[in-house]
Amino acid sequence: MPAKTADLHLHTTFSDGIDAPARVVELAKQVGLAAIAITDHDNTEALAVAQPVAKRLGIELIPGIEMSASAEGQEVHLLGFFIDPAHPGMVQHLKEQQARRIERVHEMVKRLGQVGVRIDAAEVLTLAGEGTVGRPHVARILLKHGYIASLPEAFSKYIGPKNPGFVPGSPLLPAQVIRVIRDSGGIPVLAHPIYLDRDLLIEQFVRDGLAGLEVYHSGHNPEAVRRYEEIADRLSLLKTGGSDYHGTSKEGLPVGAVKIPYALVDALRQWKATVPR
Ligand code: AMP
Ligand code: FE
Ligand code: FE
Ligand code: ZN
């Protein structure tokens, strides 16, 4: 029997992933994962859809989310594990944040128009469908209309932090988002710290209630993994990890591209059982 493993960072069509929740669970089964977390951007609707599939296939589905915040003008992504998606504070937050994301698309389209890039917000919103809209949907429409030759080009030329079409994903501070996660029974974890690349901010987030660090991530090379393991140990943070699977809407990495030992899932559960909110 090989050791049990988990992939705790997966996206579906309820945010910017390409695959429906049931398909993501099937892919997880195929690669032999014992546990997964679906962590859509500012959305929990995949969880109820995926749960019966996970049950049928004998996979443990941890209710998760990836929430946007801003610190010092930087995008901060916070993962929440073992959240209660029905918690009123979470429901209200997501309703507001999803509305902000729709407003943001209109603002991005307006700014892109000012540099001669003409796309239609309605087309972006239709592509997002029932899921939370995000920059990858804008990128796909830019690709469709020939403004870029590949999706990463959208983020280097038009909608990345230094580009004319950039609009931050959320005006809220990490402290506020961490509070929503904790109030809903969840464990707040800083996602892919390499993307933020401001290690000093992590200590502030810990004072704000952060409980874990996503040490293992498809964007972390071995040196980054070592660095974040050290930081997590120094600050007594939980360690999590996952592939950040999006299907072909990002790099096309497979489910299970990052697998972590199941012991880290046990540590999360242990924390939840013992730490007061
Ligand atoms: P949003 O939450 O709307 O700001 O969109 C963030 C998402 O955009 C991330 O989760 C990735 O899926 C995608 N993304 C961000 N940067 C890049 C990049 N350089 N190349 C491809 N996808 C990216
Ligand atoms: Fe994404
Ligand atoms: Fe992220
Ligand atoms: Zn993600």
Side-chain angles (χ1 to χ4, degrees):
M1 234 349 232
K4 284 199 326 180
T5 57
D7 181 342
L8 302 184
H9 194 152
L10 303 167
H11 293 271
T12 79
T13 43
F14 282 95
S15 64
D16 54 4
I18 286 291
D19 290 312
R23 177 73 183 145
V24 170
V25 178
E26 281 161 12
L27 291 168
K29 178 71 186 178
Q30 283 173 22
V31 297
L33 290 161
I36 58 171
I38 289 179
T39 54
D40 276 315
H41 297 282
D42 296 318
N43 191 302
T44 59
E45 289 168 58
L47 303 175
V49 183
Q51 192 55 64
V53 185
K55 194 168 176 204
R56 178 162 53 79
L57 297 179
I59 289 195
E60 185 185 342
L61 176 67
I62 295 163
I65 191 163
E66 181 172 16
M67 296 170 74
S68 293
S70 298
E72 300 179 359
Q74 304 293 311
E75 293 276 305
V76 178
H77 285 182
L78 292 152
L79 296 163
F81 296 110
F82 292 104
I83 52 157
D84 170 8
H87 187 271
M90 177 63 78
V91 170
Q92 181 60 27
H93 172 90
L94 295 182
K95 204 173 129 200
E96 290 166 11
Q97 180 58 18
Q98 287 164 13
R100 271 188 215 110
R101 279 177 167 275
I102 292 170
E103 264 313 297
R104 175 190 189 213
V105 169
H106 290 287
E107 182 61 28
M108 290 174 85
V109 166
K110 197 172 111 195
R111 292 191 193 186
L112 287 170
Q114 288 162 0
V115 294
V117 174
R118 298 195 200 290
I119 58 168
D120 185 0
E123 195 178 7
V124 175
L125 296 171
T126 301
L127 178 64
E130 60 187 345
T132 303
V133 68
R135 283 183 290 160
H137 300 108
V138 177
R140 283 160 66 192
I141 296 301
L142 289 170
L143 184 65
K144 181 181 166 192
H145 293 290
Y147 286 107
I148 50 172
S150 70
L151 294 176
E153 204 182 323
F155 293 88
S156 59
K157 222 165 147 182
Y158 292 120
I159 57 175
K162 295 186 179 72
N163 303 146
F166 180 71
V167 181
S170 168
L172 299 187
L173 290 169
Q176 295 172 285
V177 171
I178 288 168
R179 183 40 46 210
V180 174
I181 294 171
R182 281 204 175 221
D183 285 348
S184 75
I187 307 172
V189 172
L190 179 65
H192 42 61
I194 196 85
Y195 291 174
L196 179 62
D197 204 20
R198 293 269 203 291
D199 292 355
L200 290 175
L201 278 176
I202 298 172
E203 297 184 28
Q204 176 59 47
F205 300 160
V206 172
R207 287 191 289 274
D208 293 337
L210 188 78
L213 200 58
E214 190 181 39
V215 169
Y216 313 98
H217 182 274
S218 47
H220 290 177
N221 63 22
E223 189 209 322
V225 167
R226 257 197 316 275
R227 183 161 99 240
Y228 294 121
E229 276 177 338
E230 269 170 34
I231 293 176
D233 287 339
R234 180 162 55 80
L235 301 176
S236 302
L237 292 167
L238 294 159
K239 301 182 188 96
T240 75
S243 59
D244 209 350
Y245 178 75
H246 287 71
T248 51
S249 73
K250 210 177 168 197
E251 297 106 329
L253 291 169
V255 171
V258 170
K259 289 182 178 173
I260 61 167
Y262 190 81
L264 297 178
V265 176
D266 282 329
L268 288 175
R269 212 181 261 102
Q270 180 70 19
W271 186 94
K272 185 171 157 82
T274 53
V275 174
R277 299 281 121 209

